[in-house]
Amino acid sequence: MPDITATVVFHNEGAFAIPALESFRFMVGAARRHGIKIQTQAVLDRPDYTTRHVVNTFSDWLDNVEEVNFGDLGLSRNAAVERANGRFLAFFDGDDLWGAEWLCRAYALAQASDAPEKIIWHPAWLYYFSEADFDRTVLDATAHPDAASFLATHEASTSDSFDGRGLVLDNVWTANVFAAKELHMRFPYPATDAQRGVGVEDWSWNLATLAARIAHLIVPETVHLIRIKESNSVGQRNIAKGLLPNVPANFLWAKQNELALR
């Protein structure tokens, strides 16, 4: 059995899939050099021609490439869960980049945990980058007024400053998660229901797991690099459709970190 199944999900990323696949390959290679057994797979959900061509051209080192026809991020990830053989699962979006040590460090913490099936791990740092910033350089400490790139951090649900109620207003964790397959089987990603205005699969998944007292923890010294697109991003489409997350009926409107697993 593999230690980890690492899945990268593609849609219509086009040429952006090239650096994403290279970053994915570099990260997997670093983990394998540490002796970690990894199953690699790509899931293409209704890909456009360019994305399909790029993945098929640059992914001969992947264990599996699967094309599905959901048109739904949550269902794409659920399909990947069903095909995964690893004890732990790691998900990645097909236009981002990742620190080379992410899988190594997340796996080390999971292995050291007494109850890994009750924990979700997130990278410590988020760097949102825009390719348009290449000509917005400055020579001092003051950022260019039009610069879009920025740095942010994730916060653990066990932190004294964490307030679970805030997750209803903003998705405080990205979809770049590391968790036991058993946990993913218990909490499948919800499908988008545009008629009801409910979607944003990773946000809804975060709410459902937090409500079930699953701890969301941080892996120190790790980073997720997120591409800011000028147009046609999933986030922009969700906003245009007015989609909101599904707040589970058992969500406890508690103060601070009372929802977290101690």
Side-chain angles (χ1 to χ4, degrees):
M1 173 189 293
D3 300 311
I4 303 169
T5 295
T7 303
V8 58
V9 181
F10 294 98
H11 304 279
N12 58 352
E13 291 79 8
F16 290 145
I18 298 174
L21 280 168
E22 184 63 11
S23 177
F24 188 59
R25 186 182 66 82
F26 193 65
M27 174 179 53
V28 168
R32 286 175 171 164
R33 286 191 292 275
H34 281 78
I36 302 172
K37 298 178 182 178
I38 301 183
Q39 174 194 19
T40 55
Q41 59 180 3
V43 174
L44 290 76
D45 187 8
R46 294 184 185 174
D48 57 21
Y49 172 82
T50 302
T51 303
R52 181 187 292 111
H53 176 72
V54 166
V55 174
N56 288 334
T57 301
F58 293 95
S59 64
D60 57 341
W61 58 275
L62 293 176
D63 296 316
N64 185 45
V65 176
E66 188 82 18
E67 187 166 330
V68 295
N69 189 34
F70 298 121
D72 187 285
L73 279 168
L75 297 182
S76 299
R77 291 191 179 126
N78 291 341
V81 172
E82 293 176 3
R83 293 162 173 77
N85 297 321
R87 180 186 176 198
F88 295 97
L89 308 185
F91 280 96
F92 306 93
D93 290 328
D95 53 3
D96 292 343
L97 305 172
W98 310 278
E101 294 291 314
W102 163 239
L103 288 175
C104 301
R105 294 176 182 268
Y107 181 69
L109 289 182
Q111 282 286 83
S113 171
D114 293 332
E117 72 283 353
K118 296 181 180 179
I119 302 173
I120 296 164
W121 282 271
H122 300 272
W125 295 92
L126 305 173
Y127 180 61
Y128 290 84
F129 68 98
S130 170
E131 63 178 4
D133 285 347
F134 79 95
D135 62 347
R136 296 168 180 166
T137 57
V138 293
L139 299 178
D140 54 34
T142 303
H144 191 286
D146 296 324
S149 303
F150 65 95
L151 190 68
T153 60
H154 273 143
E155 184 177 16
S157 63
T158 52
S159 168
D160 290 338
S161 61
F162 180 79
D163 191 334
R165 298 171 299 178
L167 188 58
V168 176
L169 302 176
D170 186 24
N171 190 10
V172 299
W173 299 302
T174 68
N176 183 182
V177 297
F178 186 98
K181 180 178 179 179
E182 176 183 336
L183 188 147
H184 278 285
M185 297 295 288
R186 287 175 55 204
F187 298 96
Y189 288 95
T192 296
D193 187 344
Q195 204 165 28
R196 292 176 53 231
V198 175
V200 200
E201 79 299 327
D202 58 315
W203 190 356
S204 296
W205 189 78
N206 288 336
L207 282 162
T209 52
L210 188 66
R213 299 178 184 267
I214 301 297
H216 289 251
L217 302 185
I218 306 307
V219 181
E221 302 300 317
T222 55
V223 63
H224 177 195
L225 300 98
I226 303 171
R227 186 182 301 277
I228 299 174
K229 292 183 178 179
E230 295 294 320
S231 62
N232 200 34
S233 73
V234 173
Q236 290 167 337
R237 292 199 298 270
N238 287 342
I239 292 172
K241 294 177 182 177
L243 296 181
L244 295 173
N246 182 50
V247 180
N250 65 333
F251 191 83
L252 302 177
W253 297 89
K255 294 181 179 179
Q256 300 302 317
N257 63 338
E258 295 171 15
L259 293 177
L261 174 70
R262 285 293 192 174

